[in-house]
Amino acid sequence: MNNEIPGPDRIRATVAEYLRRIEASSAAGIADLYTDTATVEDPVGSDVRTGRDEILPLYAGLEHSRNSTQLLTLRIAGNEAAFHFRVTSEVDGTEYVFEPIDVMTFADDGRIASMRAFWSASDTRSS
């Protein structure tokens, strides 16, 4: 890592790929977007996961659902981004809608160095 800041286009591309891999229900694919030493606090206030081996299980639940995503808003400043998005998941015939706000820091290669997800159980709807 050479401590350069990735440009906004690179960050935008990583966020888009993150959402695409959620839609693909690929826990390993999502984990691969993180640096080897990345940290994840999802949701904020929970234990911080460090490294891909700890991050991977967080996304494993996606592999048993059909998912679609929609980016609602994205703000980029320096090597950080905050974005609000919607995930619609179908699990065993029930549809769940979830709208977190993620705050990410990016390494110089555009991979995710840290992520904090702002949401609570009351932010999830089902039908």
Side-chain angles (χ1 to χ4, degrees):
M1 190 182 302
N2 59 15
N3 294 326
E4 291 182 16
I5 295 175
D9 289 342
R10 182 68 189 110
I11 291 172
R12 203 172 279 109
T14 300
V15 170
E17 186 62 17
Y18 177 77
L19 297 179
R20 190 191 71 69
R21 291 181 188 194
I22 289 173
E23 286 188 351
S25 303
S26 175
I30 296 166
D32 284 345
L33 292 173
Y34 287 90
T35 65
D36 293 338
T37 58
T39 59
V40 170
E41 185 180 3
D42 186 355
V44 168
S46 65
D47 291 339
V48 174
R49 298 167 185 256
T50 302
R52 289 187 199 157
D53 289 343
E54 289 186 17
I55 292 169
L56 180 64
L58 176 68
Y59 295 104
L62 291 172
E63 295 184 344
H64 305 289
S65 60
R66 217 172 52 216
N67 304 295
S68 64
T69 62
Q70 180 183 7
L71 181 63
L72 302 173
T73 190
L74 169 65
R75 300 291 183 266
I76 299 169
N79 69 331
E80 297 186 56
F83 58 101
H84 179 207
F85 64 105
R86 177 178 298 126
V87 178
T88 303
S89 296
E90 184 182 321
V91 180
D92 297 329
T94 301
E95 185 176 273
Y96 298 91
V97 179
F98 174 64
E99 293 186 3
I101 298 171
D102 284 4
V103 176
M104 294 180 172
T105 302
F106 297 85
D108 59 342
D109 64 358
R111 290 191 303 151
I112 304 163
S114 69
M115 188 273 277
R116 298 180 77 217
F118 291 80
W119 67 276
S120 67
S122 65
D123 297 322
T124 302
R125 304 183 305 272
S126 63
S127 59

